[in-house]
Amino acid sequence: MLRIAVQSKGRLFEDTMALLAEAGIKVSSSKRTLLVQSSNFPIEVLYLRDDDIPQSVATGVADLGIVGENEYEERGYKADIVRRLGFSKCRLSLAIPKAENYEGLQWFEGKKIATSYPNILQKFMQENGINTDIHVITGSVEISPGIGLSDAIFDIVSSGSTLVSNNLREVEVVMKSEALLIGNPEMSAEKKAVLDELLFRIEAVKAAEDKKYVLMNVPTDKLEEIINVLPGAKSPTVMPLATEGWNSVHTVIDEKSFWEIISKLKELGAQGILVIPIEKMIL
Ligand code: PRP
Ligand code: ZN
């Protein structure tokens, strides 16, 4: 049985539960107890505050954890990064009152900065040779300049709307953050085997993300040209249609290059193009 610590609410909660669901792991989220066992996979979910996840994994209270890189970095506990998960992207930034004139990091010399991330900030300021007065507060950091508690803040920025509504301006991005799967460095062989199965499933979910399955009808005389436009190492599937001189072509396309490729395919005479989302992909 593998125990995974996840955020009980907040920015990572929904994406984390969605990832587990897509990996076919059933966890009842209606039971809001601290520890919930999956009904179909040897894993149990421990719901914690994000701040407590790195420590719980480092000490072995949990074997795995899903946590923001910001919390992982700040706490500095000994846990391994097993996999970057690519969701809950945000940045840790310095922000100052909008009206201030900003010409560079020197602005912060001697200033008071409110944050919940003193370690990351301290290290950054030290590396840049700036002396600041770091004021640690938990929660509602963004209101502190407005009420005269600090000159600036260092906090998570995602959409930026919290800064805007507090008349603050982001002036330096100190680090980028995303959700991480972290693990206890000393797991038993049995637990590692369960982790391998979990990673295999996560890999399949991630590989399918941003990919589309595309089907189209292609006249035989255009087949070669159209195949040349399609990306991907492996050749597409080509099947003859009942109508003489026509074929059905199936392939997988990256969402990023999607529109560009589709318009080329249309130009070349492809018809009846169907685009279907892919749920899992085993490479
Ligand atoms: C963070 C941060 C800001 C907000 C920024 O708080 O402290 O308040 O998100 O997001 P935005 O740029 O999209 O407005 P969070 O919701 O993570 O809660 P916490 O600070 O209490 O952990
Ligand atoms: Zn928090």
Side-chain angles (χ1 to χ4, degrees), residues 91-107:
R91 46 199 193 271
L92 271 175
S93 293
L94 285 158
I96 66 172
K98 214 170 54 186
E100 287 285 330
N101 180 33
Y102 186 79
E103 276 166 359
L105 267 184
Q106 272 306 323
W107 185 92

Side-chain angles (χ1 to χ4, degrees), residues 192-208:
K192 277 205 180 109
V194 181
L195 172 58
D196 282 345
E197 174 61 26
L198 176 66
L199 283 173
F200 171 73
R201 294 185 183 199
I202 291 177
E203 242 29 88
V205 172
K206 290 287 165 197

Side-chain angles (χ1 to χ4, degrees), residues 234-251:
K234 298 241 173 67
S235 57
T237 305
V238 180
M239 285 178 290
L241 291 183
T243 309
E244 184 80 32
W246 282 86
N247 311 270
S248 174
V249 175
H250 300 197
T251 194

Side-chain angles (χ1 to χ4, degrees), residues 1 4 10 16 55 138 153 158 160 170 181 185 206 208 227 231:
M1 181 72 70
I4 184 166
T16 298
Q55 184 180 21
T138 54
I153 67 163
S158 175
E170 183 178 12
L181 177 65
K206 290 287 165 197
I227 289 174

